[in-house]
């Protein structure tokens, strides 16, 4: 329930695209996370993941990473 409340009050962005195009790497850079990322024709992301991000003096937001579109 707490997660649902944060989703309704926070700006969210979903990263969607083909396998191996850097979706997880982008999320890692923006959110300071360290999810496994690799460049290949097969997606290393198996599940949809969400990370809370906030830059200094900015409103927090959520980035949602998805598996590559060729692996869905």
């Amino acid at each position: 329930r707490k997660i649902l409340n944060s989703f309704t009050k926070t700006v969210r962005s979903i990263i969607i695209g083909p396998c191996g195009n850097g979706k997880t790497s982008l999320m890692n850079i923006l959110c300071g996370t360290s999810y496994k990322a690799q460049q290949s024709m097969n997606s290393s992301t198996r599940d949809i993941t969400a990370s809370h991000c906030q830059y200094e003096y900015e409103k927090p937001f959520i980035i949602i990473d998805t598996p590559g579109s060729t692996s869905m």
Side-chain angles (χ1 to χ4, degrees), residues 17-56:
C19 292
N21 279 10
K23 295 176 299 300
T24 301
S25 295
L26 175 62
M27 181 170 157
N28 286 338
I29 290 167
L30 293 175
C31 298
T33 55
S34 57
Y35 290 106
K36 180 182 173 190
Q38 64 185 30
Q39 188 174 5
S40 73
M41 295 307 293
N42 298 318
S43 179
S44 60
T45 304
R46 297 288 176 222
D47 299 310
I48 295 173
T49 55
S51 289
H52 290 263
C53 309
Q54 183 171 0
Y55 291 103
E56 194 172 325

